[in-house]
Amino acid sequence: MTTLKGVNKKETGLFNVYPRFDITLVKAKGVSVFDENGKEYLDLYGGHGVISIGHSHPEYVDQINRQLQKIGFYSNSVNMPIQDELAQKLAEQSGYPEHQLFLCNSGAEANENALKLASFHTGKKKVVSFKGSFHGRTAAALNVTDNTKLSAPINKDNFEVEFIELNDKKALTEALKNKDVCAVIVEGIQGVGGLDAPSEEFFNFLAQSCKEQEALLILDEIQSGYGRTGHFFAHQYANVQADIITMAKGMGNGFPVGGVLIDPKIEASNGLLGTTFGGNHLACAAGIAVLNTLKKESLSENVMQVSNTLISELKTISCIKNIKGKGLMLGVEFDFPIKELRLKLLNDYQIFTGASANPNLLRILPPLNVTTEEIMPFAQALKNLLK
Ligand SMILES: Cc1ncc(COP(=O)(O)O)c(C=O)c1O
């Protein structure tokens, strides 16, 4: 029986910070992961929303293999044509043809750089963020995250951040009125917080207000981006343009890579940002394989089709109170805590799902190439368990 437990530090020698399922995965293919005994699980969580084009996708394996045979790493002190190729493909597919790409290694690091750039560009340091937000655990990213429990004393008394409710136009106007804000940072859809999102109307108001009050708009698309909602970025259903967009998770399908898309009005200069590993050859090969596959396999269409079918089926289950999110970033909300249900899905039906800050909400983040046939056993398992 799998339970959520802490790993015994003495047994493993590891610094014990993760509650883990007692499962050892040794193989993965598409939407399936396999444990050491050959037991197959349906992966509807993708290791915190990371697996975009499916586990061990042939193009992904091939691109990384081939790159590794040539050169795996060199730092940003030489020409990197593979970075140019990634940037060009991203410009083509993301709906941001003019934005420029800075490559880094994780989501938190992408947000650190985005916030720093906004401050450099505007010369200001107050930031507006949203209740329920999660932007990462490093200094600036943590400071704009709405969870004081994650802060150490060293993280207190950082730059000023005002947290306002999502979709509260009045609070936004008030927060920006002194023109002392360098950036407003917002997730396309809140992930860790529980799948709440800015409305289309609020997005438009937000973009306009930022322009008027000379603050930059940073869209954190680390979880909601890269085709997960059927649009390349979740905020694109609102037809607004952000000054800075941050990416990670699905960008490398498991290879650690993060990125910042930057409006050309923000000028680059030597040494303004930097990283040793960011944009290395292997990370770029992974990123290119992801973009090629999203395009070749028309994954945004698949996302919408599978999502619509799944939502219709979930709507027939009467004890589901609400279905939040878009595309294949979904929150299934009940009027009871989902902890037991989530464990039963894993133990009795071998289905991985996610949780969030909302104790009543199951978070679903499957690979974007999951088929209807593959995902429907989840709806059936819920029906059986909730009978
Ligand atoms: C919206 C969002 N931003 C930032 C992060 C931080 O990313 P990372 O864990 O790669 O630092 C996460 C991670 O869950 C996230 O969901």
Side-chain angles (χ1 to χ4, degrees), residues 48 51 63 66 120 136 168 180 190 218 262 289 309 351 353 355 370 375 378:
H48 300 322
I51 302 301
Q63 286 263 12
R66 276 192 290 126
F120 271 134
D168 187 341
D180 58 348
Q190 288 188 344
I218 302 175
I262 304 159
T309 315
I351 300 175
T353 56
V370 63
I375 210 163
F378 165 63

Side-chain angles (χ1 to χ4, degrees), residues 43-302:
D43 184 11
L44 300 188
Y45 189 51
H48 300 322
V50 164
I51 302 301
S52 48
I53 58 168
H55 289 281
S56 309
H57 190 285
E59 165 139 11
Y60 178 76
V61 173
D62 184 51
Q63 286 263 12
I64 295 177
N65 263 335
R66 276 192 290 126
Q67 187 57 48
L68 192 54
Q69 307 293 328
K70 294 189 270 183
I71 176 170
F73 173 81
Y74 206 78
S75 65
N76 287 293
S77 53
V78 294
N79 291 334
M80 300 277 276
I82 195 165
Q83 290 185 353
D84 300 331
E85 186 185 342
L86 177 60
Q88 271 159 26
K89 283 185 191 284
L90 191 54
E92 229 176 76
Q93 289 174 238
S94 68
Y96 280 92
E98 305 299 331
H99 277 46
Q100 291 154 355
L101 177 63
F102 176 75
L103 287 161
C104 54
N105 310 285
S106 69
E109 199 186 338
N111 283 334
E112 288 294 320
N113 284 296
L115 290 161
K116 202 167 166 188
L117 273 181
S119 184
F120 271 134
H121 181 72
T122 60
K124 302 188 271 191
K125 63 180 197 178
K126 179 180 163 186
V127 175
V128 173
S129 184
F130 290 88
K131 301 255 172 79
S133 62
F134 182 85
H135 297 292
R137 290 165 180 267
T138 53
L142 181 59
N143 203 35
V144 298
T145 287
D146 183 25
N147 185 350
T148 47
K149 282 197 214 123
L150 305 177
S151 292
I154 204 172
N155 301 118
K156 311 262 168 33
D157 306 321
N158 212 323
F159 57 89
E160 185 189 350
V161 183
E162 187 168 343
F163 290 94
I164 62 173
E165 292 287 346
L166 270 177
N167 298 318
D168 187 341
K169 289 193 203 168
K170 209 163 139 229
L172 179 71
T173 305
E174 198 56 29
L176 293 179
K177 73 173 186 216
N178 293 333
K179 283 194 162 62
D180 58 348
V181 170
C182 71
V184 178
I185 183 163
V186 63
E187 285 157 88
I189 297 175
Q190 288 188 344
V192 175
L195 281 292
D196 291 307
S199 66
E200 190 175 335
E201 189 196 351
F202 185 74
F203 256 136
N204 283 297
F205 184 76
L206 176 58
Q208 189 56 34
S209 304
C210 282
K211 211 172 272 167
E212 283 165 13
Q213 302 304 330
E214 293 154 25
L216 297 188
L217 176 55
I218 302 175
L219 245 307
D220 179 339
E221 292 280 3
I222 285 159
Q223 190 166 146
S224 53
Y226 258 77
R228 182 148 292 285
T229 62
H231 293 275
F232 195 88
F233 293 124
H235 68 272
Q236 287 167 326
Y237 66 85
N239 198 24
V240 290
Q241 284 266 311
D243 298 299
I244 301 177
I245 305 103
T246 53
M247 309 159 286
K249 295 197 186 275
M251 185 176 187
N253 196 46
F255 200 97
V257 53
V260 190
L261 277 175
I262 304 159
D263 189 294
K265 75 185 168 208
I266 302 169
E267 261 181 57
S269 61
N270 283 345
L272 190 73
L273 306 175
T275 152
T276 299
F277 293 116
N280 68 73
H281 296 78
L282 285 182
C284 289
I288 288 167
V290 168
L291 288 174
N292 286 348
T293 305
L294 288 177
K295 192 168 161 184
K296 257 194 244 161
E297 297 183 6
S298 308
L299 290 188
S300 27
E301 279 115 79
N302 186 63

